[in-house]
Amino acid sequence: PQGIGSPSVYHAVIVIFLEFFAWGLLTAPTLVVLHETFPKHTFLMNGLIQGVKGLLSFLSAPLIGALSDVWGRKSFLLLTVFFTCAPIPLMKISPWWYFAVISVSGVFAVTFSVVFAYVADITQEHERSMAYGLVSATFAASLVISPAIGAYLGREYGDSLVVVLATAIALLDICFILVAVPESLPEKMRPASWGAPISWEQADPFASLKKVGQDSIVLLICITVFLSYLPEAGQYSSFFLYLRQIMGFSSESVAAFIAVLGILSIIAQTIVLSLLMRSIGNKNTILLGLGFQILQLAWYGFGSEPWMMWAAGAVAAMSSITFPAVSALVSRTADADQQGVVQGMITGIRGLCNGLGPALYGFIFYIFHVELNELPMPESASGGSVVAQYHLQQNSIIPGPPFLFGACSVLLALLVALFIPEHTNLNVRSSNWKKHCGSHGHPHSPQAPGEAKEPLLQDTNV
């Protein structure tokens, strides 16, 4: 069965929304379970768990992207959502197994790679940046109310109900993919059988990293993604725990913070992103997003009061326009039958950051002794005991050392992005991606015998 209706961006949006809504419900319970399971080195262990998951995503992303180009997107949407949500019911069964399965689930936790390829299959090039912005905004929207709902249900009825509800929503997402999501990749663009060969070069996560050095534009884009997403990945893995333990936020305050940030991110990634892409262009949109990210991370790094976290969060919403703009730029470098490969390449770099970023943040927190031995009580979030606890951390000049490191990394990304050309040569670009994938590509994309092997995306304007 091909699903309900024709493939559309809205199918991808619903898949993303349900998956991350389920995980959003578990925000507050996860912070509690994490601290109870690893009371001595909470930040360090959190970084290691998320680091292993990210590294496994990096290793598997190219293979999953290439396989989705051959076998279609729907099967891999089902696979990635299932394994990403597999750890959810284990939270109340066994916390140790819960964190262990989260780590190994990174092998298939590349839903965004398949979703972006799905969107690329069904959109025109001029529509793609808006479509990517919509998908990223949906990710933010899924976190607007789910952490608040999870915190409320956990306080009123216990965390077990929250885990059951999150599991049910994850199952609903799987059923939606099985029943409603149509295949986006036409049969004529992929082999008819499941026996199509996949070479080691396609499955090798380092193959794309070796290829990107052959062309200046691809290299600049990938370095920009790496330097900007490395601190973002570390921040995502530890920031809500940081708000809870160091800044004295209650579970309700953390949920409210996520909701406000999510609403602002939705506005930024839809309305603002669309206006910026039309008015200042793709490259300048990326530069503006990186500028906001530098300001946000520096503010987090030096901020020692809760109101500073709220103010910096508003800036963080504007920095969320960077990745959709980069994804739109990258999607223009590939033909229709290679979108999975190129999105897998970027997702692979992000996966590498998802491994290195959390581990790096956890290690920096550890060497600066940013740890607490007691979890702040939610009901005393505005009381003197919690205030005294997080004021203990304010004796240092930099309350959040990893965030300041992240600001320096994004500053380097901004300097690199300045050298990305505003326009690329479309004719050369199309044929060169064919050559890149020709040696290990699909039967429907043969290389012309007379073509010379040129670097990827060679821009004659540079």
Coordinates of all heavy atoms in Angstrom, one line a residue, residues 346-417:
I346 N 25.6 15.3 5.2 CA 25.5 16.4 6.2 C 25.0 15.8 7.6 O 25.5 16.2 8.6 CB 24.5 17.4 5.7 CG1 25.1 18.1 4.5 CG2 24.2 18.4 6.8 CD1 26.4 18.8 4.7
T347 N 24.1 14.8 7.5 CA 23.6 14.2 8.8 C 24.8 13.4 9.4 O 24.9 13.3 10.6 CB 22.5 13.3 8.5 OG1 21.4 14.0 7.9 CG2 21.9 12.6 9.8
G348 N 25.7 12.9 8.6 CA 26.8 12.2 9.1 C 27.8 13.1 9.9 O 28.3 12.8 11.0
I349 N 28.0 14.3 9.3 CA 28.8 15.3 10.0 C 28.1 15.8 11.3 O 28.7 15.9 12.4 CB 29.0 16.5 9.1 CG1 29.9 16.1 7.9 CG2 29.7 17.7 9.9 CD1 30.1 17.2 6.9
R350 N 26.8 16.0 11.2 CA 26.0 16.3 12.4 C 26.1 15.1 13.4 O 26.2 15.4 14.7 CB 24.6 16.6 12.1 CG 24.4 18.0 11.5 CD 23.1 18.2 10.8 NE 22.0 18.0 11.7 CZ 21.4 18.9 12.4 NH1 21.8 20.2 12.3 NH2 20.3 18.7 13.2
G351 N 26.1 13.9 12.9 CA 26.2 12.8 13.8 C 27.5 12.7 14.5 O 27.6 12.4 15.7
L352 N 28.6 13.0 13.8 CA 29.9 13.1 14.4 C 29.9 14.2 15.5 O 30.5 14.0 16.6 CB 30.9 13.5 13.3 CG 32.4 13.5 13.8 CD1 32.9 12.2 14.3 CD2 33.3 14.0 12.6
C353 N 29.3 15.3 15.2 CA 29.1 16.4 16.2 C 28.3 15.9 17.4 O 28.6 16.2 18.6 CB 28.5 17.6 15.6 SG 29.5 18.5 14.4
N354 N 27.2 15.1 17.1 CA 26.4 14.6 18.2 C 27.2 13.6 19.1 O 26.8 13.4 20.2 CB 25.2 13.9 17.6 CG 24.1 14.8 17.2 OD1 24.0 15.9 17.7 ND2 23.3 14.4 16.1
G355 N 28.3 13.1 18.6 CA 29.1 12.2 19.4 C 30.2 13.1 20.1 O 30.4 12.9 21.3
L356 N 30.8 14.0 19.4 CA 31.9 14.7 20.0 C 31.4 15.9 20.9 O 31.9 16.1 22.0 CB 32.8 15.3 18.9 CG 33.5 14.4 18.0 CD1 34.3 15.1 16.9 CD2 34.4 13.4 18.8
G357 N 30.3 16.5 20.5 CA 29.8 17.7 21.3 C 29.4 17.4 22.7 O 29.9 18.0 23.7
P358 N 28.4 16.4 22.9 CA 28.1 16.1 24.3 C 29.2 15.6 25.1 O 29.3 15.9 26.3 CB 27.0 15.0 24.1 CG 26.5 15.2 22.7 CD 27.6 15.7 21.9
A359 N 30.1 14.7 24.6 CA 31.2 14.3 25.3 C 32.2 15.4 25.7 O 32.7 15.5 26.8 CB 32.0 13.2 24.5
L360 N 32.4 16.3 24.8 CA 33.2 17.5 25.0 C 32.6 18.4 26.1 O 33.3 18.8 27.0 CB 33.4 18.3 23.7 CG 34.4 19.5 23.8 CD1 35.8 19.0 24.2 CD2 34.4 20.2 22.5
Y361 N 31.3 18.7 26.0 CA 30.7 19.5 27.0 C 30.7 18.8 28.4 O 31.0 19.5 29.4 CB 29.2 19.8 26.6 CG 29.0 21.0 25.9 CD1 29.8 21.4 24.8 CD2 28.0 21.9 26.2 CE1 29.6 22.5 24.1 CE2 27.8 23.1 25.5 CZ 28.6 23.4 24.4 OH 28.4 24.6 23.8
G362 N 30.4 17.5 28.4 CA 30.5 16.8 29.7 C 31.9 16.8 30.3 O 32.0 17.0 31.5
F363 N 32.9 16.7 29.5 CA 34.3 16.7 30.0 C 34.6 18.1 30.5 O 35.3 18.2 31.5 CB 35.2 16.3 28.8 CG 36.7 16.3 29.3 CD1 37.1 15.3 30.2 CD2 37.5 17.2 28.8 CE1 38.5 15.3 30.6 CE2 38.9 17.2 29.2 CZ 39.3 16.3 30.0
I364 N 34.2 19.2 29.8 CA 34.5 20.5 30.2 C 33.8 20.8 31.5 O 34.4 21.4 32.5 CB 34.1 21.6 29.1 CG1 35.0 21.4 27.9 CG2 34.3 23.0 29.7 CD1 34.7 22.3 26.7
F365 N 32.5 20.4 31.6 CA 31.8 20.6 32.9 C 32.6 19.8 34.0 O 32.7 20.3 35.2 CB 30.4 20.0 32.8 CG 29.4 21.0 32.3 CD1 28.6 20.6 31.2 CD2 29.2 22.2 32.9 CE1 27.6 21.5 30.7 CE2 28.2 23.1 32.4 CZ 27.5 22.7 31.3
Y366 N 33.1 18.7 33.7 CA 33.8 17.8 34.7 C 35.1 18.5 35.2 O 35.3 18.5 36.4 CB 34.0 16.4 34.1 CG 34.8 15.5 35.0 CD1 34.2 15.0 36.1 CD2 36.1 15.2 34.7 CE1 35.0 14.1 37.0 CE2 36.9 14.3 35.5 CZ 36.3 13.8 36.6 OH 37.0 13.0 37.5
I367 N 35.9 19.0 34.2 CA 37.2 19.5 34.6 C 37.0 20.9 35.3 O 37.9 21.3 36.1 CB 38.1 19.7 33.4 CG1 37.6 20.6 32.4 CG2 38.4 18.3 32.8 CD1 38.5 20.9 31.2
F368 N 35.9 21.6 35.1 CA 35.6 22.8 35.8 C 34.8 22.6 37.1 O 34.3 23.5 37.7 CB 34.9 23.8 34.9 CG 35.8 24.6 34.0 CD1 36.2 24.1 32.8 CD2 36.4 25.8 34.4 CE1 37.0 24.8 31.9 CE2 37.2 26.5 33.6 CZ 37.6 26.0 32.3
H369 N 34.5 21.3 37.4 CA 33.8 20.9 38.6 C 32.4 21.5 38.7 O 32.0 21.9 39.8 CB 34.6 21.3 39.9 CG 36.0 20.8 39.9 ND1 36.3 19.5 40.0 CD2 37.2 21.4 39.7 CE1 37.7 19.3 40.0 NE2 38.2 20.5 39.8
V370 N 31.8 21.5 37.6 CA 30.4 22.0 37.6 C 29.5 20.8 37.8 O 29.0 20.1 36.9 CB 30.0 22.7 36.2 CG1 28.6 23.2 36.3 CG2 31.0 23.8 36.0
E371 N 29.3 20.4 39.0 CA 28.4 19.3 39.4 C 27.7 19.7 40.7 O 28.2 20.5 41.5 CB 29.3 18.0 39.7 CG 29.9 17.5 38.4 CD 29.0 16.8 37.5 OE1 27.8 16.6 37.9 OE2 29.4 16.4 36.4
L372 N 26.6 19.1 40.9 CA 25.9 19.2 42.2 C 25.6 17.8 42.7 O 25.4 16.9 42.0 CB 24.5 19.9 42.1 CG 24.6 21.4 41.8 CD1 23.2 22.0 41.7 CD2 25.3 22.1 42.9
N373 N 25.6 17.6 44.0 CA 25.4 16.3 44.6 C 23.9 16.1 45.0 O 23.5 15.0 45.3 CB 26.3 16.1 45.9 CG 27.7 16.1 45.5 OD1 28.1 15.5 44.5 ND2 28.6 16.6 46.4
E374 N 23.1 17.2 45.0 CA 21.7 17.0 45.3 C 20.9 17.7 44.2 O 21.3 18.8 43.7 CB 21.4 17.7 46.6 CG 22.1 17.0 47.8 CD 21.7 17.7 49.1 OE1 20.9 18.6 49.0 OE2 22.2 17.3 50.1
L375 N 19.8 17.1 43.8 CA 18.9 17.6 42.8 C 18.0 18.7 43.4 O 17.4 18.4 44.4 CB 18.1 16.5 42.2 CG 17.3 16.9 40.9 CD1 18.2 17.1 39.7 CD2 16.3 15.7 40.6
P376 N 17.9 19.9 42.9 CA 17.1 20.9 43.4 C 15.6 20.4 43.5 O 15.1 19.8 42.6 CB 17.2 22.1 42.5 CG 18.5 21.9 41.8 CD 18.7 20.4 41.7
M377 N 14.9 20.7 44.6 CA 13.5 20.3 44.7 C 12.6 21.3 43.9 O 12.8 22.5 44.0 CB 13.1 20.4 46.2 CG 13.8 19.4 47.0 SD 13.6 17.7 46.5 CE 11.9 17.5 46.9
P378 N 11.8 20.8 43.0 CA 11.0 21.7 42.2 C 10.1 22.7 43.0 O 10.0 23.8 42.6 CB 10.1 20.7 41.4 CG 10.8 19.4 41.5 CD 11.5 19.4 42.8
E379 N 9.6 22.2 44.1 CA 8.7 23.2 44.8 C 9.4 24.3 45.5 O 8.8 25.3 45.9 CB 7.9 22.4 45.9 CG 8.8 21.7 46.9 CD 9.1 20.3 46.5 OE1 8.9 20.0 45.3 OE2 9.6 19.5 47.3
S380 N 10.8 24.2 45.6 CA 11.5 25.3 46.2 C 12.3 26.1 45.2 O 13.3 26.7 45.5 CB 12.5 24.7 47.3 OG 13.4 23.9 46.7
A381 N 11.8 26.1 43.9 CA 12.6 26.7 42.8 C 12.8 28.2 43.1 O 13.7 28.8 42.6 CB 11.9 26.5 41.5
S382 N 11.8 28.8 43.8 CA 12.0 30.3 44.0 C 12.4 30.5 45.5 O 12.5 31.7 45.9 CB 10.6 30.9 43.8 OG 9.6 30.4 44.7
G383 N 12.8 29.5 46.2 CA 13.2 29.6 47.6 C 14.7 29.9 47.7 O 15.5 29.8 46.8
G384 N 15.1 30.1 49.0 CA 16.5 30.5 49.2 C 17.4 29.3 49.1 O 18.6 29.5 48.7
S385 N 17.0 28.0 49.3 CA 17.9 26.9 49.3 C 18.4 26.7 47.9 O 19.6 26.5 47.7 CB 17.2 25.6 49.8 OG 16.1 25.3 49.0
V386 N 17.5 26.7 46.9 CA 18.0 26.5 45.5 C 18.8 27.7 45.1 O 19.8 27.6 44.4 CB 16.8 26.4 44.6 CG1 17.2 26.3 43.2 CG2 16.0 25.1 45.0
V387 N 18.4 28.9 45.5 CA 19.2 30.1 45.1 C 20.6 30.0 45.6 O 21.6 30.3 45.0 CB 18.5 31.4 45.6 CG1 19.4 32.6 45.4 CG2 17.2 31.6 44.9
A388 N 20.7 29.5 46.9 CA 22.0 29.4 47.5 C 22.8 28.3 46.7 O 24.0 28.4 46.5 CB 21.9 29.0 48.9
Q389 N 22.1 27.3 46.3 CA 22.8 26.2 45.6 C 23.5 26.7 44.3 O 24.6 26.4 44.0 CB 21.9 25.0 45.3 CG 21.6 24.1 46.5 CD 20.7 23.0 46.1 OE1 19.7 23.2 45.4 NE2 20.9 21.8 46.6
Y390 N 22.7 27.4 43.4 CA 23.3 27.8 42.2 C 24.2 29.0 42.3 O 25.0 29.3 41.5 CB 22.2 28.0 41.1 CG 21.4 29.2 41.1 CD1 21.9 30.4 40.7 CD2 20.0 29.1 41.4 CE1 21.1 31.5 40.7 CE2 19.2 30.2 41.4 CZ 19.7 31.4 41.0 OH 18.9 32.6 41.0
H391 N 24.0 29.8 43.4 CA 25.0 30.9 43.6 C 26.3 30.3 44.0 O 27.3 31.1 43.9 CB 24.4 31.8 44.7 CG 23.6 32.9 44.1 ND1 24.1 34.0 43.4 CD2 22.2 33.1 44.1 CE1 23.1 34.8 43.0 NE2 22.0 34.3 43.4
L392 N 26.4 29.1 44.5 CA 27.7 28.5 44.7 C 28.5 28.4 43.4 O 29.8 28.4 43.4 CB 27.5 27.1 45.3 CG 27.0 27.0 46.7 CD1 26.8 25.6 47.1 CD2 27.9 27.7 47.7
Q393 N 27.8 28.3 42.3 CA 28.5 28.2 41.0 C 28.9 29.5 40.4 O 29.5 29.6 39.4 CB 27.6 27.4 40.0 CG 27.2 26.0 40.5 CD 28.4 25.1 40.6 OE1 29.4 25.3 39.9 NE2 28.3 24.1 41.4
Q394 N 28.5 30.6 41.1 CA 28.7 31.9 40.5 C 30.0 32.6 40.9 O 30.3 33.7 40.6 CB 27.6 32.9 40.8 CG 26.3 32.4 40.2 CD 25.1 33.3 40.6 OE1 25.3 34.4 40.9 NE2 23.9 32.8 40.5
N395 N 30.8 31.8 41.8 CA 32.1 32.3 42.2 C 33.1 32.5 41.1 O 34.0 33.3 41.1 CB 32.6 31.4 43.3 CG 31.7 31.4 44.6 OD1 31.1 32.4 44.9 ND2 31.7 30.3 45.3
S396 N 32.9 31.6 40.1 CA 33.8 31.7 38.9 C 33.4 32.8 38.0 O 32.2 33.2 37.9 CB 33.8 30.3 38.2 OG 32.5 30.0 37.7
I397 N 34.3 33.3 37.2 CA 34.0 34.3 36.2 C 33.1 33.8 35.1 O 32.2 34.5 34.7 CB 35.3 34.9 35.6 CG1 36.2 35.5 36.7 CG2 35.1 35.9 34.6 CD1 37.6 35.9 36.2
I398 N 33.3 32.6 34.7 CA 32.5 32.0 33.7 C 31.6 30.9 34.3 O 32.1 29.8 34.5 CB 33.4 31.4 32.6 CG1 34.4 32.5 32.1 CG2 32.5 30.9 31.4 CD1 35.4 31.9 31.1
P399 N 30.3 31.1 34.5 CA 29.5 30.1 35.1 C 29.3 28.9 34.2 O 29.2 27.7 34.7 CB 28.1 30.8 35.3 CG 28.5 32.3 35.3 CD 29.6 32.4 34.4
G400 N 29.3 29.1 32.9 CA 29.1 28.0 31.9 C 30.2 27.9 31.0 O 30.1 28.3 29.8
P401 N 31.4 27.3 31.4 CA 32.6 27.3 30.5 C 32.3 26.6 29.1 O 32.9 27.2 28.1 CB 33.6 26.5 31.3 CG 33.0 26.4 32.7 CD 31.6 26.6 32.6
P402 N 31.6 25.5 29.0 CA 31.4 24.9 27.7 C 30.8 25.8 26.7 O 31.0 25.8 25.5 CB 30.6 23.7 27.9 CG 30.7 23.4 29.4 CD 30.9 24.7 30.0
F403 N 29.8 26.7 27.1 CA 29.1 27.6 26.2 C 30.0 28.6 25.6 O 29.9 29.0 24.4 CB 27.9 28.2 26.9 CG 27.0 27.3 27.5 CD1 26.8 27.1 28.9 CD2 26.2 26.4 26.7 CE1 26.0 26.2 29.5 CE2 25.4 25.5 27.3 CZ 25.2 25.4 28.7
L404 N 31.0 29.1 26.4 CA 32.0 30.1 25.9 C 32.9 29.4 24.8 O 33.2 30.0 23.8 CB 32.8 30.7 27.0 CG 33.6 31.9 26.6 CD1 32.7 33.0 26.2 CD2 34.5 32.3 27.8
F405 N 33.3 28.2 25.1 CA 34.0 27.4 24.1 C 33.2 27.3 22.8 O 33.7 27.4 21.7 CB 34.4 26.0 24.6 CG 34.8 25.1 23.5 CD1 36.1 25.1 23.1 CD2 33.9 24.2 23.0 CE1 36.5 24.2 22.1 CE2 34.3 23.3 22.0 CZ 35.6 23.3 21.5
G406 N 31.9 27.0 22.9 CA 31.0 26.9 21.8 C 30.9 28.2 21.0 O 30.9 28.2 19.7
A407 N 30.9 29.3 21.7 CA 30.9 30.6 21.0 C 32.1 30.8 20.1 O 32.1 31.3 19.0 CB 30.8 31.8 22.0
C408 N 33.3 30.4 20.6 CA 34.5 30.5 19.9 C 34.5 29.6 18.6 O 34.9 30.0 17.5 CB 35.7 30.2 20.7 SG 36.0 31.3 22.2
S409 N 33.9 28.4 18.8 CA 33.8 27.5 17.7 C 32.9 28.1 16.6 O 33.2 28.0 15.4 CB 33.3 26.1 18.2 OG 33.1 25.2 17.1
V410 N 31.8 28.6 16.9 CA 30.9 29.2 16.0 C 31.5 30.4 15.3 O 31.2 30.7 14.1 CB 29.5 29.6 16.6 CG1 28.5 30.1 15.6 CG2 28.9 28.3 17.2
L411 N 32.3 31.2 16.0 CA 33.0 32.3 15.4 C 33.9 31.8 14.3 O 33.9 32.5 13.2 CB 33.8 33.1 16.5 CG 34.6 34.3 16.0 CD1 33.7 35.3 15.4 CD2 35.5 34.8 17.1
L412 N 34.6 30.7 14.5 CA 35.4 30.1 13.4 C 34.5 29.7 12.2 O 34.9 29.9 11.1 CB 36.2 28.9 13.9 CG 37.3 29.2 15.0 CD1 37.9 27.9 15.4 CD2 38.3 30.1 14.3
A413 N 33.3 29.1 12.5 CA 32.4 28.7 11.5 C 31.9 29.9 10.7 O 31.8 29.9 9.4 CB 31.2 28.0 12.1
L414 N 31.7 31.1 11.3 CA 31.3 32.3 10.6 C 32.4 32.8 9.7 O 32.1 33.2 8.5 CB 31.0 33.4 11.7 CG 30.5 34.7 11.1 CD1 29.2 34.6 10.4 CD2 30.4 35.7 12.2
L415 N 33.6 32.7 10.1 CA 34.7 33.1 9.3 C 34.9 32.2 8.1 O 35.2 32.7 7.0 CB 36.0 33.1 10.1 CG 36.1 34.1 11.3 CD1 37.4 34.0 12.0 CD2 36.0 35.5 10.8
V416 N 34.7 30.9 8.3 CA 34.7 30.0 7.1 C 33.6 30.2 6.2 O 33.8 30.2 4.9 CB 34.7 28.5 7.7 CG1 34.6 27.5 6.5 CG2 36.0 28.2 8.5
A417 N 32.4 30.4 6.7 CA 31.2 30.6 5.9 C 31.3 31.9 5.0 O 30.6 32.0 3.9 CB 29.9 30.7 6.7

